[in-house]
Short mmCIF file of all heavy atoms in Angstrom, two decimals:
data_model
loop_
_atom_site.label_atom_id
_atom_site.label_comp_id
_atom_site.label_asym_id
_atom_site.label_seq_id
_atom_site.Cartn_x
_atom_site.Cartn_y
_atom_site.Cartn_z
N PRO V 9 84.16 -13.55 59.86
CA PRO V 9 83.35 -12.83 58.88
C PRO V 9 82.92 -13.76 57.75
O PRO V 9 83.61 -14.73 57.43
CB PRO V 9 84.28 -11.73 58.38
CG PRO V 9 85.65 -12.21 58.68
CD PRO V 9 85.53 -13.10 59.88
N LYS V 10 81.78 -13.42 57.14
CA LYS V 10 81.28 -14.24 56.03
C LYS V 10 82.25 -14.13 54.86
O LYS V 10 82.83 -13.07 54.61
CB LYS V 10 79.90 -13.75 55.60
CG LYS V 10 78.85 -13.91 56.66
CD LYS V 10 77.53 -13.30 56.20
CE LYS V 10 76.50 -13.34 57.29
NZ LYS V 10 75.26 -12.65 56.89
N LYS V 11 82.39 -15.23 54.12
CA LYS V 11 83.26 -15.21 52.96
C LYS V 11 82.60 -14.39 51.86
O LYS V 11 81.41 -14.54 51.59
CB LYS V 11 83.53 -16.63 52.46
CG LYS V 11 84.47 -17.40 53.34
CD LYS V 11 84.90 -18.67 52.66
CE LYS V 11 85.96 -19.38 53.47
NZ LYS V 11 86.45 -20.58 52.79
N LYS V 12 83.38 -13.55 51.25
CA LYS V 12 82.86 -12.71 50.18
C LYS V 12 83.25 -13.31 48.84
O LYS V 12 84.28 -13.95 48.70
CB LYS V 12 83.44 -11.29 50.31
CG LYS V 12 83.00 -10.59 51.57
CD LYS V 12 83.53 -9.20 51.63
CE LYS V 12 83.06 -8.51 52.89
NZ LYS V 12 83.59 -7.16 53.01
N ASP V 13 82.37 -13.09 47.86
CA ASP V 13 82.63 -13.56 46.51
C ASP V 13 83.50 -12.53 45.82
O ASP V 13 83.01 -11.58 45.20
CB ASP V 13 81.30 -13.77 45.76
CG ASP V 13 81.50 -14.44 44.42
OD1 ASP V 13 82.65 -14.85 44.13
OD2 ASP V 13 80.53 -14.54 43.66
N TRP V 14 84.82 -12.69 45.93
CA TRP V 14 85.73 -11.67 45.43
C TRP V 14 85.72 -11.59 43.90
O TRP V 14 85.96 -10.53 43.33
CB TRP V 14 87.14 -11.92 45.94
CG TRP V 14 87.76 -13.21 45.48
CD1 TRP V 14 87.71 -14.40 46.09
CD2 TRP V 14 88.52 -13.41 44.27
NE1 TRP V 14 88.37 -15.35 45.37
CE2 TRP V 14 88.88 -14.76 44.24
CE3 TRP V 14 88.91 -12.58 43.22
CZ2 TRP V 14 89.63 -15.31 43.20
CZ3 TRP V 14 89.66 -13.14 42.20
CH2 TRP V 14 90.01 -14.48 42.19
N ARG V 15 85.43 -12.70 43.22
CA ARG V 15 85.38 -12.66 41.75
C ARG V 15 84.26 -11.73 41.28
O ARG V 15 84.44 -10.92 40.37
CB ARG V 15 85.17 -14.06 41.19
CG ARG V 15 86.43 -14.86 41.11
CD ARG V 15 86.26 -16.07 40.19
NE ARG V 15 87.50 -16.80 40.13
CZ ARG V 15 87.79 -17.86 40.86
NH1 ARG V 15 86.91 -18.32 41.71
NH2 ARG V 15 88.95 -18.45 40.75
N LYS V 16 83.09 -11.89 41.92
CA LYS V 16 81.94 -11.05 41.54
C LYS V 16 82.24 -9.59 41.87
O LYS V 16 81.93 -8.69 41.07
CB LYS V 16 80.68 -11.51 42.27
CG LYS V 16 79.42 -10.79 41.82
CD LYS V 16 78.21 -11.34 42.52
CE LYS V 16 76.93 -10.70 42.09
NZ LYS V 16 76.91 -9.27 42.06
N GLN V 17 82.84 -9.34 43.03
CA GLN V 17 83.19 -7.97 43.39
C GLN V 17 84.17 -7.37 42.38
O GLN V 17 84.06 -6.20 42.00
CB GLN V 17 83.81 -7.93 44.79
CG GLN V 17 82.82 -8.07 45.91
CD GLN V 17 83.50 -7.96 47.27
OE1 GLN V 17 84.70 -8.20 47.40
NE2 GLN V 17 82.73 -7.62 48.27
N HIS V 18 85.13 -8.18 41.93
CA HIS V 18 86.14 -7.71 40.98
C HIS V 18 85.49 -7.36 39.64
O HIS V 18 85.77 -6.31 39.06
CB HIS V 18 87.20 -8.79 40.80
CG HIS V 18 88.27 -8.45 39.82
ND1 HIS V 18 89.18 -7.45 40.05
CD2 HIS V 18 88.57 -8.97 38.61
CE1 HIS V 18 90.00 -7.37 39.02
NE2 HIS V 18 89.65 -8.28 38.13
N GLU V 19 84.60 -8.25 39.17
CA GLU V 19 83.92 -7.99 37.91
C GLU V 19 83.03 -6.74 38.00
O GLU V 19 82.99 -5.92 37.08
CB GLU V 19 83.09 -9.19 37.49
CG GLU V 19 83.93 -10.38 37.06
CD GLU V 19 83.11 -11.65 36.88
OE1 GLU V 19 81.87 -11.59 37.00
OE2 GLU V 19 83.73 -12.70 36.63
N ASP V 20 82.31 -6.58 39.11
CA ASP V 20 81.47 -5.39 39.31
C ASP V 20 82.32 -4.12 39.31
O ASP V 20 81.92 -3.09 38.75
CB ASP V 20 80.69 -5.50 40.63
CG ASP V 20 79.58 -6.54 40.57
OD1 ASP V 20 79.27 -7.01 39.45
OD2 ASP V 20 79.04 -6.88 41.64
N PHE V 21 83.48 -4.19 39.95
CA PHE V 21 84.37 -3.03 40.01
C PHE V 21 84.85 -2.65 38.60
O PHE V 21 84.83 -1.47 38.23
CB PHE V 21 85.57 -3.33 40.92
CG PHE V 21 86.58 -2.24 40.97
CD1 PHE V 21 86.31 -1.04 41.60
CD2 PHE V 21 87.82 -2.39 40.36
CE1 PHE V 21 87.24 -0.03 41.65
CE2 PHE V 21 88.76 -1.39 40.39
CZ PHE V 21 88.48 -0.20 41.04
N ILE V 22 85.25 -3.65 37.82
CA ILE V 22 85.72 -3.38 36.45
C ILE V 22 84.60 -2.78 35.61
O ILE V 22 84.80 -1.80 34.88
CB ILE V 22 86.27 -4.67 35.80
CG1 ILE V 22 87.59 -5.05 36.49
CG2 ILE V 22 86.48 -4.50 34.31
CD1 ILE V 22 88.13 -6.39 36.08
N ASN V 23 83.39 -3.35 35.75
CA ASN V 23 82.25 -2.81 35.00
C ASN V 23 81.91 -1.38 35.42
O ASN V 23 81.54 -0.55 34.58
CB ASN V 23 81.02 -3.72 35.15
CG ASN V 23 81.21 -5.04 34.44
OD1 ASN V 23 82.01 -5.16 33.51
ND2 ASN V 23 80.47 -6.05 34.86
N THR V 24 82.01 -1.08 36.71
CA THR V 24 81.75 0.27 37.21
C THR V 24 82.75 1.26 36.63
O THR V 24 82.39 2.36 36.20
CB THR V 24 81.79 0.30 38.74
OG1 THR V 24 80.88 -0.66 39.25
CG2 THR V 24 81.45 1.66 39.30
N VAL V 25 84.03 0.87 36.60
CA VAL V 25 85.08 1.75 36.07
C VAL V 25 84.85 1.99 34.58
O VAL V 25 84.96 3.12 34.09
CB VAL V 25 86.47 1.16 36.34
CG1 VAL V 25 87.55 1.93 35.60
CG2 VAL V 25 86.76 1.16 37.83
N ARG V 26 84.53 0.91 33.84
CA ARG V 26 84.31 1.05 32.40
C ARG V 26 83.08 1.91 32.11
O ARG V 26 83.07 2.70 31.16
CB ARG V 26 84.18 -0.32 31.76
CG ARG V 26 85.51 -1.04 31.68
CD ARG V 26 85.39 -2.40 31.07
NE ARG V 26 86.69 -3.06 31.04
CZ ARG V 26 86.86 -4.34 30.85
NH1 ARG V 26 85.81 -5.15 30.68
NH2 ARG V 26 88.07 -4.86 30.82
N ALA V 27 82.03 1.75 32.95
CA ALA V 27 80.84 2.57 32.77
C ALA V 27 81.13 4.04 33.07
O ALA V 27 80.62 4.95 32.41
CB ALA V 27 79.71 2.07 33.67
N ALA V 28 81.99 4.29 34.06
CA ALA V 28 82.36 5.67 34.41
C ALA V 28 83.19 6.32 33.31
O ALA V 28 83.11 7.53 33.09
CB ALA V 28 83.12 5.68 35.73
N LYS V 29 83.98 5.51 32.60
CA LYS V 29 84.79 6.04 31.50
C LYS V 29 83.93 6.32 30.27
O LYS V 29 84.39 6.98 29.33
CB LYS V 29 85.89 5.04 31.13
CG LYS V 29 87.03 4.99 32.11
CD LYS V 29 88.08 4.02 31.62
CE LYS V 29 89.28 4.00 32.54
NZ LYS V 29 90.30 3.05 32.08
N GLY V 30 82.72 5.78 30.26
CA GLY V 30 81.83 6.01 29.13
C GLY V 30 82.00 5.00 28.02
O GLY V 30 81.66 5.29 26.87
N MET V 31 82.51 3.85 28.30
CA MET V 31 82.69 2.82 27.28
C MET V 31 81.32 2.26 26.90
O MET V 31 80.45 2.10 27.74
CB MET V 31 83.61 1.70 27.79
CG MET V 31 85.02 2.17 28.10
SD MET V 31 86.04 0.85 28.71
CE MET V 31 86.80 0.30 27.23
N ASP V 32 81.16 1.96 25.62
CA ASP V 32 79.89 1.45 25.12
C ASP V 32 79.63 0.03 25.62
O ASP V 32 80.53 -0.81 25.66
CB ASP V 32 79.89 1.45 23.58
CG ASP V 32 79.92 2.86 23.02
OD1 ASP V 32 79.45 3.77 23.73
OD2 ASP V 32 80.41 3.04 21.88
N GLY V 33 78.39 -0.25 26.00
CA GLY V 33 77.98 -1.60 26.40
C GLY V 33 78.17 -1.90 27.88
O GLY V 33 77.92 -3.02 28.33
N TYR V 34 78.65 -0.96 28.66
CA TYR V 34 78.88 -1.21 30.09
C TYR V 34 77.99 -0.30 30.91
O TYR V 34 77.89 0.90 30.67
CB TYR V 34 80.34 -0.97 30.47
CG TYR V 34 81.27 -2.04 29.91
CD1 TYR V 34 82.01 -1.77 28.77
CD2 TYR V 34 81.37 -3.27 30.51
CE1 TYR V 34 82.86 -2.73 28.23
CE2 TYR V 34 82.22 -4.23 29.98
CZ TYR V 34 82.95 -3.96 28.84
OH TYR V 34 83.78 -4.92 28.33
N GLU V 35 77.33 -0.92 31.91
CA GLU V 35 76.52 -0.17 32.86
C GLU V 35 77.01 -0.48 34.26
O GLU V 35 77.50 -1.57 34.53
CB GLU V 35 75.04 -0.58 32.75
CG GLU V 35 74.36 -0.14 31.48
CD GLU V 35 72.90 -0.53 31.48
OE1 GLU V 35 72.34 -0.83 32.57
OE2 GLU V 35 72.30 -0.53 30.40
N ALA V 36 76.88 0.50 35.12
CA ALA V 36 77.29 0.27 36.51
C ALA V 36 76.34 -0.74 37.15
O ALA V 36 75.12 -0.55 37.11
CB ALA V 36 77.27 1.58 37.28
N PRO V 37 76.87 -1.84 37.69
CA PRO V 37 75.99 -2.83 38.32
C PRO V 37 75.40 -2.30 39.62
O PRO V 37 76.00 -1.45 40.28
CB PRO V 37 76.91 -4.01 38.59
CG PRO V 37 78.27 -3.43 38.67
CD PRO V 37 78.26 -2.21 37.77
N PRO V 38 74.21 -2.79 39.99
CA PRO V 38 73.63 -2.33 41.27
C PRO V 38 74.47 -2.85 42.44
O PRO V 38 75.09 -3.91 42.36
CB PRO V 38 72.23 -2.96 41.27
CG PRO V 38 72.34 -4.13 40.36
CD PRO V 38 73.37 -3.77 39.33
N LEU V 39 74.49 -2.10 43.51
CA LEU V 39 75.25 -2.51 44.69
C LEU V 39 74.60 -3.72 45.33
O LEU V 39 73.37 -3.77 45.49
CB LEU V 39 75.33 -1.37 45.70
CG LEU V 39 76.18 -0.17 45.30
CD1 LEU V 39 76.04 0.91 46.36
CD2 LEU V 39 77.62 -0.56 45.12
N ASP V 40 75.43 -4.69 45.73
CA ASP V 40 74.93 -5.90 46.39
C ASP V 40 75.00 -5.70 47.90
O ASP V 40 76.08 -5.68 48.48
CB ASP V 40 75.76 -7.12 45.97
CG ASP V 40 75.26 -8.40 46.62
OD1 ASP V 40 74.06 -8.47 46.95
OD2 ASP V 40 76.09 -9.32 46.80
N THR V 41 73.85 -5.52 48.52
CA THR V 41 73.80 -5.32 49.98
C THR V 41 73.10 -6.48 50.66
O THR V 41 72.47 -6.31 51.70
CB THR V 41 73.08 -4.00 50.30
OG1 THR V 41 71.76 -4.07 49.75
CG2 THR V 41 73.82 -2.80 49.75
N SER V 42 73.21 -7.68 50.07
CA SER V 42 72.51 -8.83 50.64
C SER V 42 73.10 -9.27 51.98
O SER V 42 72.42 -9.87 52.80
CB SER V 42 72.54 -10.00 49.66
OG SER V 42 73.88 -10.37 49.39
N ASP V 43 74.38 -8.96 52.20
CA ASP V 43 75.00 -9.37 53.46
C ASP V 43 74.92 -8.28 54.53
O ASP V 43 75.46 -8.44 55.62
CB ASP V 43 76.46 -9.77 53.23
CG ASP V 43 77.30 -8.64 52.67
OD1 ASP V 43 76.72 -7.72 52.07
OD2 ASP V 43 78.54 -8.69 52.84
N TYR V 44 74.23 -7.20 54.27
CA TYR V 44 74.09 -6.11 55.24
C TYR V 44 73.03 -6.48 56.28
O TYR V 44 72.08 -7.19 56.00
CB TYR V 44 73.68 -4.82 54.55
CG TYR V 44 74.82 -4.10 53.84
CD1 TYR V 44 76.00 -4.75 53.52
CD2 TYR V 44 74.70 -2.77 53.49
CE1 TYR V 44 77.03 -4.10 52.88
CE2 TYR V 44 75.72 -2.11 52.83
CZ TYR V 44 76.89 -2.78 52.53
OH TYR V 44 77.91 -2.13 51.90
N GLU V 45 73.25 -5.97 57.51
CA GLU V 45 72.29 -6.19 58.60
C GLU V 45 71.46 -4.92 58.79
O GLU V 45 72.00 -3.81 58.75
CB GLU V 45 73.03 -6.52 59.89
CG GLU V 45 73.78 -7.82 59.85
CD GLU V 45 74.53 -8.10 61.15
OE1 GLU V 45 74.07 -7.63 62.21
OE2 GLU V 45 75.56 -8.77 61.10
N GLN V 46 70.15 -5.11 59.02
CA GLN V 46 69.27 -3.95 59.20
C GLN V 46 69.17 -3.62 60.68
O GLN V 46 69.00 -4.50 61.53
CB GLN V 46 67.88 -4.24 58.64
CG GLN V 46 67.00 -3.02 58.61
CD GLN V 46 65.73 -3.26 57.82
OE1 GLN V 46 65.45 -4.38 57.42
NE2 GLN V 46 64.97 -2.20 57.60
N CYS V 47 69.28 -2.34 60.98
CA CYS V 47 69.15 -1.87 62.37
C CYS V 47 67.68 -1.96 62.77
O CYS V 47 66.81 -1.44 62.06
CB CYS V 47 69.65 -0.44 62.48
SG CYS V 47 69.41 0.27 64.12
N PRO V 48 67.36 -2.58 63.91
CA PRO V 48 65.96 -2.69 64.32
C PRO V 48 65.37 -1.37 64.81
O PRO V 48 64.15 -1.24 64.91
CB PRO V 48 66.00 -3.72 65.46
CG PRO V 48 67.39 -3.66 65.98
CD PRO V 48 68.26 -3.29 64.82
N HIS V 49 66.21 -0.38 65.08
CA HIS V 49 65.73 0.89 65.63
C HIS V 49 65.45 1.94 64.55
O HIS V 49 64.43 2.61 64.59
CB HIS V 49 66.74 1.43 66.64
CG HIS V 49 67.12 0.41 67.67
ND1 HIS V 49 66.25 -0.03 68.63
CD2 HIS V 49 68.27 -0.27 67.86
CE1 HIS V 49 66.86 -0.94 69.38
NE2 HIS V 49 68.09 -1.11 68.93
#
């Protein structure tokens, strides 16, 4: 499997949790689907 950038995933997770709690200055980051494969059908 392709190596994942775990640091970036960890930071995104923390930001998502803080945004869900309603903390000021934090927004949920967009999902990174660059490693996803598209179905041809």
Side-chain angles (χ1 to χ4, degrees):
K10 296 175 185 175
K11 286 191 174 183
K12 296 182 179 178
D13 187 7
W14 63 269
R15 279 197 179 96
K16 186 177 182 311
Q17 284 182 337
H18 178 68
E19 289 170 6
D20 289 348
F21 176 71
I22 290 172
N23 291 337
T24 305
V25 170
R26 287 179 181 164
K29 285 183 177 179
M31 297 179 94
D32 293 334
Y34 290 100
E35 290 183 17
L39 291 175
D40 180 27
T41 59
S42 60
D43 61 337
Y44 282 17
E45 295 179 28
Q46 188 169 8
C47 175
H49 309 291

